[in-house]
Amino acid sequence: MHSIEFCAGAGGQALGLEQAGFRHAALVEIERDYAKTLTLNRPNWNVLAQDMNDFDGRPYKGADLFAAGLPCPPFSSAGKQLGALDERNLFPAALRLIDEIQPKAIMIENVRGFLSAVFDDYRTALKQQLKKLGYTADWRLLNASDFGVPQLRPRVVIIAVRDDMADLFDWPEVQRHNPPTVGQTLQDLMAANGWPGAARWASGANDIAPTIVGGSKKHGGPDLGPTRARNAWATLGVEGRTLAEEAPASDFVGMPRLTIPMVARLQGFPDTWKFYGRKTTAYRQVGNAFPPPVARAVANNVRIALGVRRLFAVNAA
């Protein structure tokens, strides 16, 4: 089955889709450093460094899945929550492209703020617009920690399927066990340069991570978020004011900082996934990503629904 993805970022959703069995017809990402990350990891992917607003979806008509990780600032509680009035709101572009591509299913990720009461009318209008295009839409707040990611990362996932498939999609079940703690997840990386305190640190970092905050082009650098977030990291023995270039050295004393590979692992990326650019750019890519295990779980159920519908069509023929 083939997908086309917009605002692909560093590839968190794309990787999850790949793991669920989708092949990418195209991945569209306006940020060139992010697009280079996609090509760096998957040279065979058709990565297009283009603006979604200017993209022509008609050559991709009939794709099985339209996927997107639309910009979060219009709906984020950390911002002004301007919604439709925010210049970064790309839902209108998404609706235009959905009309052009006419996919069988749609999968869009956004922040928890999308479910805020202030956007009740916006959500109703979105559902109505998708209905006019022939889709039945639903959304759910999913926590990354319910899918094995060692981080409490609530994200809204919007799923819309063609009306003739409305009864075939089921939301994925959460895992029965809690994810590993930050210490269990990162002990080997903390000890990579011979730091003798890694084991003791890991025993104290005995909970999952707070939500990793990547920031935007206007705000946020290579740090673990505002004061409240840094305080939460401090309870896990992590210094959150900056990120480190390398793991603690053998003579390190104090509270360690995280590196890009550590944050990436906490987001559910495999260790083999590399990020193009300097520390600030790389961290922004990691911090704003959709954790691959969550994307995989949802996309797998989308694939099952599509497969059942295809089987029905074959039997009917």
Side-chain angles (χ1 to χ4, degrees):
M1 296 183 182
H2 290 81
S3 63
I4 179 169
E5 182 178 345
F6 295 89
C7 304
Q13 184 166 222
L15 182 56
L17 293 177
E18 178 187 70
Q19 292 169 346
F22 284 92
R23 297 180 63 183
H24 302 298
L27 293 152
V28 182
E29 171 53 52
I30 191 173
E31 296 289 343
R32 295 193 176 274
D33 285 347
Y34 298 15
K36 289 178 181 178
T37 288
L38 297 171
T39 302
L40 176 66
N41 289 280
R42 293 290 188 272
N44 60 313
W45 281 358
N46 179 28
V47 178
L48 305 173
Q50 297 183 25
D51 188 337
M52 181 179 176
N53 285 303
D54 302 326
F55 193 82
D56 183 3
R58 289 171 295 183
Y60 300 91
K61 185 175 181 178
D64 293 294
L65 177 65
F66 173 101
L70 299 184
C72 301
F75 305 97
S76 175
S77 59
K80 298 180 180 179
Q81 289 195 310
L82 296 177
L85 300 179
D86 196 306
E87 62 182 8
R88 295 164 292 185
N89 177 33
L90 289 180
F91 274 99
L95 289 167
R96 173 185 62 81
L97 288 163
I98 290 167
D99 190 27
E100 292 177 354
I101 297 169
Q102 297 180 25
K104 297 178 180 66
I106 299 158
M107 177 177 169
I108 298 175
E109 176 256 351
N110 211 276
V111 290
R112 176 171 54 184
F114 177 79
L115 298 182
S116 174
V118 71
F119 298 124
D120 283 348
D121 291 343
Y122 191 90
R123 292 193 301 274
T124 298
L126 177 63
K127 184 172 286 190
Q128 291 172 344
Q129 288 171 300
L130 287 169
K131 192 65 177 179
K132 289 180 181 178
L133 294 176
Y135 298 91
T136 299
D138 193 15
W139 39 74
R140 182 168 292 191
L141 184 68
L142 301 178
N143 285 316
S145 58
D146 289 332
F147 298 92
V149 180
Q151 177 191 172
L152 179 63
R153 189 178 187 82
R155 281 298 183 270
V156 172
V157 178
I158 302 167
I159 294 293
V161 296
R162 285 191 333 203
D163 290 341
D164 60 342
M165 299 170 48
D167 296 332
L168 300 180
F169 173 77
D170 292 317
W171 290 98
E173 295 183 4
V174 302
Q175 294 188 2
R176 292 180 295 175
H177 304 289
N178 289 332
T181 66
V182 169
Q184 291 169 332
T185 303
L186 299 182
Q187 180 176 345
D188 64 320
L189 295 182
M190 281 292 182
N193 289 334
W195 182 38
R200 177 179 294 180
W201 170 83
S203 66
N206 57 358
D207 202 350
I208 63 173
T211 299
I212 294 171
V213 182
S216 66
K217 291 182 69 175
K218 295 182 179 180
H219 306 285
D223 58 59
L224 297 179
T227 301
R228 184 172 61 179
R230 295 177 194 173
N231 290 340
W233 281 104
T235 64
L236 297 172
V238 173
E239 169 57 71
R241 287 179 291 183
T242 60
L243 266 67
E245 296 289 348
E246 297 182 347
S250 59
D251 59 350
F252 175 79
V253 176
M255 189 179 295
R257 295 175 292 160
L258 301 183
T259 62
I260 295 296
M262 292 177 190
V263 179
R265 189 185 283 185
L266 291 174
Q267 277 283 50
F269 280 98
D271 291 347
T272 53
W273 202 261
K274 307 303 179 185
F275 300 89
Y276 180 87
R278 299 176 68 88
K279 186 166 63 175
T280 297
T281 299
Y283 176 67
R284 190 167 291 147
Q285 294 178 55
V286 180
N288 289 325
F290 189 19
V294 186
R296 180 180 66 238
V298 179
N300 187 59
N301 281 25
V302 172
R303 180 185 55 79
I304 292 172
L306 292 173
V308 172
R309 181 66 186 86
R310 185 174 293 179
L311 181 61
F312 285 169
V314 170
N315 289 339

